[in-house]
Amino acid sequence: MGLIQPKAGHFVYHGSVAGLSATPNSTPDDADKVTAHFGSSVASAGDVNGDGYSDVIIGAALYDDGVNTAEGRAFVYHGSATGLSATPNSTPDDADQLGAAFGAGVAGAGDVNGDGYSDVIIGAPAFDDGANSAEGQALFIMALHWLIGQS
């Protein structure tokens, strides 16, 4: 018998006058990495692209990014009249460090810089700052990154 690998599921249910839909309207699953822990954190991102629809951010704290094992990554999905985008619109992974666990915590930050777009904050609790091992770091990412097509 082979090794059973963990597989997370994430389910989005649309609300309506009648309440929540009976079945999920969307099931994002885009880490495509064994043990990435996609969904280790999930939050509303606000409206990062200014289209009037709420967006979602999902963390994958143990995502392997090349040589950076367990660096972590976040996945941002834009909302629309039909629901969430089928694939992530942005995948920030700015820790650039082995074992940082970037994405272990994600949250909408409101419009911190007053530009009219929602911003997000992403935690990397095991980030090393050079002097302090696993000190941790919170990275503030302004929505402008998504508007100009950068991750």
Side-chain angles (χ1 to χ4, degrees), residues 14-134:
H14 293 177
S16 70
V17 173
L20 291 178
S21 55
T23 59
N25 299 95
S26 177
T27 54
D29 177 18
D30 290 297
D32 294 329
K33 301 259 185 176
V34 174
T35 66
H37 288 216
F38 181 79
S40 54
S41 57
V42 179
S44 170
D47 183 7
V48 299
N49 61 343
D51 65 357
Y53 295 97
S54 293
D55 305 314
V56 172
I57 184 167
I58 300 174
L62 300 182
Y63 185 92
D64 294 339
D65 187 18
V67 299
N68 293 329
T69 304
E71 174 187 352
R73 180 171 280 182
F75 297 78
V76 177
Y77 296 83
H78 293 169
S80 72
T82 58
L84 292 180
S85 53
T87 58
N89 299 95
S90 182
T91 55
D93 65 345
D94 297 323
D96 295 327
Q97 190 177 95
L98 176 79
F102 182 85
V106 297
D111 181 9
V112 176
N113 60 347
D115 65 357
Y117 299 96
S118 295
D119 306 311
V120 299
I121 190 163
I122 303 171
F127 185 86
D128 295 334
D129 74 351
N132 300 298
S133 179

